[in-house]
Amino acid sequence: MSQAQLQELKKHLWNIANDLRGTMGADEFRDYILGFIFYKYLSEKTVNFANALLQEEGINEPYYQLDESNAEHLEFIEAIQDNGIEDVGFALAPKQLFHTLAERGRQADGFILDDLTNTFKAIEQSTAGTDSENDFANLFEDLDLNSTKLGSNATDRNTLVTKVLSHLDKIDFDLSNTESDVLGDAYEYLIGEFASGAGKKAGEFYTPQAVSTLLAKIVTHGKTQLRSVYDPTCGSGSLLLRVKREVKDVDMIYGQEMNRTTYNLARMNMILHDVHFSKFDIKQDNTLTKSLKLWSQIRPSLPIGQPILCFYRMIVFHLTVNLPQKPKQIWLLYSTCCINLMKMARWQWFFHMVYCSEAQVKVRFVSTSLKK
């Protein structure tokens, strides 16, 4: 994402936050905004996919203008949806597109809450019985459009949601740019500006993009392809995606996250970054108590994890990995206060990663002090 696009994104996010401010907590409207961003992404991806198919058939009419009441148009729509479910994992009808509903909401009698709720359900239902079902199941459950936090009555809620959609409708997601990271940029901005305190109180830490990038470069040094990568506490999936970006190809991405809302964000993040639904598997559960057997069967080639940042002490685990072909070395940075280091959960987390690795791992500890 260019600096100009980033500034434009921040401007609209700030305007949305101003509209939502006072009606709900910062962490709550963050999740609403990210959910709507994801919906806009799905719509734009659908439009690009559908228009390409229409052009192949010699039809210059854009997808959003197709009318389901027209028998010929309906045939095209159904064919596009069938292809969409197979290729991108979901389907949207022209009347369910983001821009269509945002435009309707701006009209004098534009009540769109019911249609918007039905659209979210339709996206999930379109995947029923398909390979992408688990990746889309309950993905929009945090977007409760009937919540009184959006307004005391349906009219007020509709007005507020329409304002949010109108702001996002002005943002160009630039899907043709593979380096674009709209959700990552939006998430980091919203966390930094509005919800960092709420997250820390809940015991959650968001890894800044710069830190994720550094860690990804360290653990992928000398590698061009990975059979699989696994993050046992993946959060919104930013570190997994950074690792994927550092190599030419990752055959499979695995992750686990205990927080339900963050788990949904991780799945959204994978889809938004164009990771095919068959190439990732994100689970929602407690990593230490319920995933050991599951992930030990997978044996990912690269287990990763974010550092817990502090100002007192850094522990560097130097892992010498003896693979059947040739020895490799992985530097895993893990930071914590010396008191926290002794807590059993830290050791459980570390040894869980060692156990789940496909390699035999030898561990050497190096302690370095940091000044405040």
Side-chain angles (χ1 to χ4, degrees):
M1 173 175 281
S2 68
Q3 282 300 315
Q5 288 175 314
L6 182 58
Q7 291 304 316
E8 185 71 10
L9 174 64
K10 288 181 178 180
K11 183 184 76 173
H12 288 296
L13 291 176
W14 184 267
N15 290 335
I16 294 170
N18 279 335
D19 289 333
L20 293 174
R21 198 189 307 272
T23 63
M24 63 183 71
D27 56 326
E28 292 173 308
F29 70 67
R30 173 201 68 194
D31 297 333
Y32 272 96
I33 295 173
L34 291 173
F36 286 130
I37 286 176
F38 179 65
Y39 166 47
K40 176 177 167 64
Y41 167 81
L42 294 183
S43 293
E44 292 192 4
K45 192 172 183 67
T46 297
V47 169
N48 290 348
F49 176 79
N51 287 344
L53 291 181
L54 290 172
Q55 289 176 5
E56 289 178 3
E57 296 295 326
I59 302 171
N60 295 322
E61 196 167 6
Y63 183 63
Y64 73 88
Q65 290 185 355
L66 297 185
D67 184 1
E68 292 183 69
S69 63
N70 182 307
E72 184 178 2
H73 285 188
L74 181 60
E75 185 178 348
F76 286 129
I77 292 172
E78 291 176 346
I80 289 170
Q81 289 181 322
D82 289 341
N83 280 276
I85 292 172
E86 182 177 345
D87 289 359
V88 297
F90 67 96
L92 275 171
K95 65 180 181 181
Q96 298 170 331
L97 296 173
F98 185 98
H99 177 73
T100 302
L101 287 177
E103 190 68 30
R104 277 184 47 207
R106 287 191 286 266
Q107 297 173 4
D109 57 345
F111 187 84
I112 60 172
L113 288 188
D114 292 339
D115 288 338
L116 198 54
T117 299
N118 291 333
T119 295
F120 294 154
K121 292 179 181 178
I123 293 173
E124 296 176 3
Q125 290 171 357
S126 71
T127 68
T130 70
D131 293 337
S132 61
E133 181 176 9
N134 290 336
D135 299 318
F136 283 85
N138 302 313
L139 204 51
F140 293 96
E141 64 183 357
D142 290 314
L143 288 179
D144 182 7
L145 301 182
N146 293 316
S147 172
T148 54
K149 294 177 181 178
L150 293 173
S152 59
N153 56 66
T155 301
D156 290 344
R157 292 194 289 272
N158 185 76
T159 300
L160 184 58
V161 169
T162 298
K163 286 183 180 179
V164 174
L165 297 189
S166 296
H167 283 303
L168 291 177
D169 201 30
K170 299 173 184 176
I171 301 174
D172 180 11
F173 276 17
D174 193 18
L175 296 188
S176 60
N177 182 3
T178 57
E179 295 299 315
S180 181
D181 189 7
V182 177
L183 186 60
D185 289 329
Y187 190 88
E188 182 163 345
Y189 176 73
L190 291 168
I191 285 284
E193 293 294 328
F194 307 114
S196 57
K200 289 177 182 177
K201 289 177 183 177
E204 299 171 0
F205 294 84
Y206 174 71
T207 307
Q209 290 186 17
V211 177
S212 294
T213 300
L214 175 61
L215 286 172
K217 288 182 180 296
I218 290 172
V219 299
T220 59
H221 180 69
K223 300 179 177 67
T224 58
Q225 185 172 357
L226 293 171
R227 180 179 61 81
S228 58
V229 59
Y230 163 50
D231 187 344
T233 53
C234 67
S236 62
S238 62
L239 183 54
L240 288 168
L241 291 168
R242 291 289 169 180
V243 169
K244 179 181 181 297
R245 184 175 293 181
E246 292 300 321
V247 295
K248 290 182 179 179
D249 186 42
V250 177
D251 292 339
M252 193 67 185
I253 294 175
Y254 297 104
Q256 184 151 338
E257 172 58 35
M258 186 166 64
N259 182 284
R260 182 72 183 183
T261 297
T262 315
Y263 157 70
N264 287 336
L265 288 177
R267 292 188 294 164
M268 290 182 185
N269 217 355
M270 294 296 140
I271 297 167
L272 190 142
H273 285 82
D274 214 23
V275 179
H276 195 267
F277 60 83
S278 64
K279 304 277 278 186
F280 73 89
D281 186 6
I282 308 294
K283 301 292 186 184
Q284 192 255 325
D285 218 325
N286 187 313
T287 297
L288 294 178
T289 61
K290 294 189 178 180
S291 72
L292 198 60
K293 182 177 180 180
L294 171 65
W295 296 119
S296 63
Q297 292 172 348
I298 294 172
R299 293 293 188 185
S301 58
L302 180 60
I304 58 174
Q306 69 179 34
I308 299 178
L309 303 175
C310 73
F311 298 101
Y312 300 102
R313 182 171 296 269
M314 175 179 287
I315 303 299
V316 180
F317 296 102
H318 182 195
L319 308 182
T320 302
V321 183
N322 298 317
L323 296 176
Q325 301 297 327
K326 58 181 179 179
K328 294 184 179 180
Q329 291 183 334
I330 298 175
W331 284 89
L332 175 63
L333 302 180
Y334 180 70
S335 307
T336 186
C337 297
C338 55
I339 296 177
N340 286 339
L341 178 64
M342 302 308 296
K343 291 184 178 179
M344 184 57 67
R346 300 284 186 254
W347 293 106
Q348 283 181 304
W349 179 85
F350 171 71
F351 285 115
H352 169 76
M353 295 181 70
V354 172
Y355 182 81
C356 288
S357 174
E358 68 176 358
Q360 294 179 350
V361 180
K362 295 180 181 179
V363 184
R364 183 164 74 246
F365 300 93
V366 180
S367 175
T368 59
S369 297
L370 295 179
K371 294 181 179 180
K372 291 185 180 180

